[in-house]
Structure formats: structure tokens, C-alpha cells
Amino acid sequence: MTTTTSARGSGAAPGIVDRRVPVAVSAPDPISREGAVSQLRRHPEIDLREESGPGTVALLIEDALDEAALTRLRRIVRSEGARAVLVTGAIRESELLDVVECGVGAIVWRHEATAHRLVQAVLAASRGDGDLPADLLGRLISQVGTLHRGAAGRPGAPSLGLAPREVDVLRLVAEGLDTGEIAGKLSYSERTVKNVMHGLTTRLHLRNRAHAVAYALREGYI
């Protein structure tokens, strides 16, 4: 796997962005890597870096989600402390929950990987927001719902529970709303929404919004 090797570009133009997002690109071949790098290089809010690590967004292009790819995802998120954006051509049903539980909160289909779409996913990941294609979100909801129904009635460890306010926020996250839209729907401040998400992800050891939605679905809250 090859990782992009330069931090390019001048600072963002005044009024466009407050902070450049450090991004490291990893791809299985030079053409894919250079394609993604050239797409991102034109955007002043992106600061291309050599290595992923705490505070960076790792953009991974994967041809296939085999065990080696999942291991790379886990290492980047859990060991290196980076946020992850996955660009891939397909995800099988059996792989979807694995990807979410690895800590990937943003996924982009390769055929939709325009410069705008990549930047959108990178910025969402940098904020800790989820960004899944609509068809994947539907599959995730269906899959976790099936798992929950299959587990209904079985003895198990008691759930740590979600507060009503947390459930309200997660329902809107599952519908694809961003922080500002959730705040408007619930008449909260954006800071309150962020605090709710931070509190529940910290308490339940969840990695990001997509993981939190998966948890809420699995436990039957939404």
C-alpha cells in the first residue's frame, strides 16, 4: 500500500476555512493515489500530509475489503488515532458492520469519488460526523435491525441505556441530518447536540456517529 508523500498548497484564503484539515492518502497503486491527491490538492481547506496520526484524516482507497484491509483500518483508527474515510467499489453485507465497527465514519463509492465528494467526506470525518451513501445507510439499518430481532429475548449483558435526548439525536443522525439540522429540528444549540453525541460515544466507547447509530439500532432504540 502506498501513502501520499507531500504536504502541498498555501494556506486557505481568508474567510474560506478556519483550519486546514491534515489528510494522508493511501492507495494500492500509484494511479489511484495520484488521482485522489490531485483532486484534494486544489482545495485550500486540505493539508496533504505524509503520514496519518492523531488529528489527521486517513483517506484509504481499497480495491477489496479483505482481512488485511480491515486490519489496516483498525490500526489507523485505534492505534494511530486518525479519522478514516474509505473509498471502495463495493461492500458486501458481511463486511458492512465490520467496517463501521473498525471506526470508519465516512464511506465514498469509487464511482462517486469526485473532488467535491472526497472533500465533503474528509470534512465530515474531521468533525467526527458520519457520511455514508444513502444506499449503505439503508443496508446498515436493515442489517442491524435483523441482528436485533434475532437477538430479541435472548439473555445477555444488560444495556447501558440511552437517555431520551440521546435517542432523539441519534434518530436524526440516522436520517442523515448534520449537526446544524439536528439542532434546528430539536430546538437545541449546536453545542448541545455535539455534547450529547460526545457524551454517549464516550460513555459507550463508540468510535463515531455511524457506530453510535449501529449501537442504537442493535439495541432497539431506533
Side-chain angles (χ1 to χ4, degrees):
M1 175 163 289
T2 310
T3 303
T4 173
T5 57
S6 64
R8 292 183 171 87
S10 59
I16 295 178
V17 290
D18 296 325
R19 180 180 65 86
R20 300 180 74 202
V21 177
V23 179
V25 178
S26 181
D29 60 83
I31 292 177
S32 296
R33 182 199 67 211
E34 288 305 319
V37 168
S38 66
Q39 299 250 53
L40 295 172
R41 184 185 287 130
R42 300 193 297 268
H43 291 263
E45 59 267 60
I46 302 299
D47 178 16
L48 290 167
R49 295 290 181 87
E50 187 146 338
E51 301 289 343
S52 59
T56 66
V57 174
L59 189 147
L60 292 93
I61 302 170
E62 297 285 357
D63 290 328
L65 288 176
D66 53 16
E67 189 53 43
L70 291 174
T71 298
R72 283 191 291 275
L73 289 171
R74 293 187 191 102
R75 185 191 71 243
I76 285 169
V77 175
R78 300 179 190 178
S79 300
E80 298 178 9
R83 309 264 190 187
V85 174
L86 175 65
V87 180
T88 189
I91 297 178
R92 293 192 297 267
E93 296 292 336
S94 60
E95 298 165 338
L96 184 52
L97 272 180
D98 287 337
V99 169
V100 170
E101 291 180 346
C102 280
V104 177
I107 299 172
V108 178
W109 294 128
R110 286 190 74 144
H111 68 274
E112 296 178 350
T114 61
H116 172 76
R117 186 70 189 87
L118 290 178
V119 171
Q120 181 184 52
V122 164
L123 295 180
S126 74
R127 297 189 301 265
D129 292 347
D131 188 353
L132 302 182
D135 57 327
L136 263 191
L137 183 58
R139 284 164 57 189
L140 179 64
I141 290 171
S142 175
Q143 187 174 2
V144 177
T146 300
L147 288 174
H148 174 71
R149 288 190 297 273
R154 283 191 229 155
S159 171
L160 295 177
L162 294 177
R165 183 165 67 168
E166 293 172 335
V167 175
D168 290 341
V169 169
L170 282 175
R171 281 200 183 103
L172 296 177
V173 171
E175 291 174 14
L177 276 65
D178 63 23
T179 299
E181 291 167 332
I182 293 169
K185 285 270 190 183
L186 298 177
S187 299
Y188 293 160
S189 68
E190 290 192 26
R191 180 178 294 275
T192 295
V193 174
K194 291 176 181 177
N195 287 342
V196 169
M197 288 301 305
H198 177 74
L200 75 91
T201 54
T202 300
R203 189 178 79 253
L204 301 175
H205 307 291
L206 304 169
R207 296 180 190 91
N208 49 46
R209 289 189 175 199
H211 197 188
V213 169
Y215 171 86
L217 287 161
R218 179 174 291 173
E219 296 298 320
Y221 286 100
I222 59 178

